[in-house]
Amino acid sequence: MALTPGEPLTERGVETTFGASRTPARAALMRLESEGLVRRAGRGWAVSPIDLSEIQSLAELRVAVETAASRLACDRASPNDIDGVAELLDLAEPGRDEAEGVRAGQDFHGGLAALSGNPFMVDAVRGAMTRLERTRWLEVRSPEARRQAWQEHTDILAAIRAGDADMAAELITGHVMGTNSRLLATLSRDRLRLRGHGLAIVDREEP
């Protein structure tokens, strides 16, 4: 079931689409609301619009959490743990299936946070990536962008494997802020075209 940002939803529609009763349909919508993917709209619901201000805030959160997680990983992660994250890089390697590569690239950040041994950091990173999932494909839609992301992920993991906390933190900061800047630039540049395709895009900082 593919829905665009801003598209209206009803509990009855969810019940019909998924063959579910009212209680699990409502529970699913409430969970999606807690994840920032849907919101209340009058008596019904709507898919949350793409919020440029939220994307910027998520980048700031990710830099704070992921740099701290990478420093902890340098002290705590075992070689086997790091090898497990390296397997995600293999799945995202340029030339592989695009959808699988984008998904593996997103999972990489959760796996990287897990190397810290701090479950709250993992939850924070995975929550941020869930909110960004609807727009991340816009930043890595070209082979060149996916190759750049894969190389940056590879360099970050290599720094952690070497135990170089300062380098890992520097690389993760550059990676997160760079991808965020490119994503916001794409959304700002193509806002009218994307809206023409039905995607709702807002910016809470606009007057």
Side-chain angles (χ1 to χ4, degrees):
M1 183 179 181
L3 301 171
T4 58
E7 186 171 343
L9 288 168
T10 64
E11 290 182 15
R12 183 63 58 85
V14 172
E15 293 170 24
T16 300
T17 299
F18 295 101
S21 60
R22 183 177 183 182
T23 298
R26 175 171 292 183
L29 287 168
M30 292 178 68
R31 178 172 179 176
L32 291 171
E33 181 184 28
S34 71
E35 294 176 346
L37 300 178
V38 303
R39 65 180 184 177
R40 306 266 182 177
R43 295 185 177 181
W45 302 79
V47 179
S48 296
I50 294 172
D51 189 327
L52 302 183
S53 298
E54 179 182 278
I55 291 172
Q56 179 61 36
S57 295
L58 287 170
E60 294 167 0
L61 169 71
R62 289 182 59 204
V63 166
V65 175
E66 293 191 51
T67 54
S70 68
R71 289 183 178 279
L72 290 174
C74 287
D75 289 332
R76 298 177 177 177
S78 70
N80 285 340
D81 292 334
I82 295 173
D83 287 343
V85 177
E87 291 178 3
L88 294 173
L89 287 176
D90 292 339
L91 293 175
E93 190 173 359
R96 289 182 175 268
D97 177 76
E98 177 180 343
E100 183 180 24
V102 171
R103 167 64 68 179
Q106 293 173 339
D107 290 343
F108 169 83
H109 287 276
L112 198 66
L115 294 178
S116 71
N118 187 316
F120 298 102
M121 287 184 170
V122 177
D123 288 344
V125 171
R126 287 180 175 166
M129 298 308 293
T130 294
R131 287 175 177 263
L132 289 169
E133 188 172 359
R134 299 179 303 155
T135 55
R136 281 280 295 147
W137 64 272
L138 289 169
E139 195 274 320
V140 291
R141 58 185 171 181
S142 71
E144 293 77 14
R146 291 193 296 277
R147 188 176 300 108
Q148 178 178 351
W150 178 83
Q151 186 60 60
E152 290 176 359
H153 288 170
T154 300
D155 293 342
I156 292 165
L157 193 61
I160 291 175
R161 193 184 292 278
D164 191 336
D166 289 339
M167 179 58 71
E170 179 182 339
L171 290 173
I172 197 74
T173 297
H175 171 68
V176 172
M177 297 309 296
T179 55
N180 181 68
S181 295
R182 290 190 293 273
L183 175 58
L184 288 176
T186 297
L187 288 169
S188 297
R189 183 184 66 243
D190 297 344
R191 184 187 296 196
L192 292 179
R193 180 181 63 80
L194 292 171
R195 282 177 172 171
H197 287 285
L199 274 71
I201 301 175
V202 300
D203 188 343
R204 287 172 295 173
E205 295 182 355
E206 289 182 345

